[in-house]
Amino acid sequence: MLGVDVALLILILLVQFIIYPAFADVERGVFGRFHRTYMRRISFFVVPLMTGQVALHTWNAWSDRGALAIIAASLVLATWVSTWVLSVPAHDRLAAKGNEGELVDLLVRANWPRTLMWTGVASITMYRIAGVGG
């Protein structure tokens, strides 16, 4: 579980602070192709990690039933909701209209909840592994 949580934390930090802001620098004429390629390639990493994470944390919350396990599982579920309610629509708008500055800013803002939630999940997992949180 730690490996998956830390992998998603590192990935989301790279996306939030480096990759998404750099979208604004991609020339409009090539942005559509760039974005399609980015989405296909990043999905290769994100889909299995998110699927594994939800499975692991669901199992852990069900078997452990401790408060921290339930909080972590709830945060994982919330990342899925945030992905589908905020991030996917922001990507859809970028795909349709290109890298207009306001749309890149929207994507960065839409990604903050996932960044914070995955930070929380990884922090809880590290805390629990350290033996402090049971």
Side-chain angles (χ1 to χ4, degrees):
M1 187 161 30
L2 179 64
V4 170
D5 292 346
V6 170
L8 279 166
L9 175 59
I10 291 168
L11 182 63
I12 201 70
L13 292 173
L14 289 171
V15 165
Q16 184 67 19
F17 292 104
I18 298 171
I19 297 169
Y20 283 175
F23 278 18
D25 297 328
V26 178
E27 292 183 29
R28 292 184 65 93
V30 298
F31 184 80
R33 182 171 46 94
F34 163 80
H35 189 256
R36 283 188 302 278
T37 301
Y38 167 78
M39 293 300 292
R40 186 181 68 251
R41 290 179 179 173
I42 199 75
S43 294
F44 180 79
F45 296 96
V46 172
V47 170
L49 285 169
M50 284 183 70
T51 302
Q53 186 182 50
V54 77
L56 289 166
H57 279 279
T58 299
W59 171 257
N60 191 51
W62 182 80
S63 63
D64 181 296
R65 298 194 176 151
L68 288 177
I70 292 168
I71 292 168
S74 298
L75 286 171
V76 169
L77 177 61
T79 64
W80 279 74
V81 171
S82 179
T83 297
W84 289 103
V85 171
L86 299 173
S87 297
V88 169
H91 275 290
D92 289 346
R93 289 181 67 187
L94 274 169
K97 295 185 177 186
N99 65 336
E100 296 176 3
E102 67 186 46
L103 295 180
V104 173
D105 291 342
L106 172 67
L107 182 63
V108 171
R109 285 191 314 273
N111 199 54
W112 270 113
R114 293 191 312 169
T115 302
L116 296 173
M117 288 182 281
W118 270 322
T119 300
V121 171
S123 298
I124 289 169
T125 299
M126 287 184 269
Y127 181 80
R128 293 184 76 221
I129 287 174
V132 181

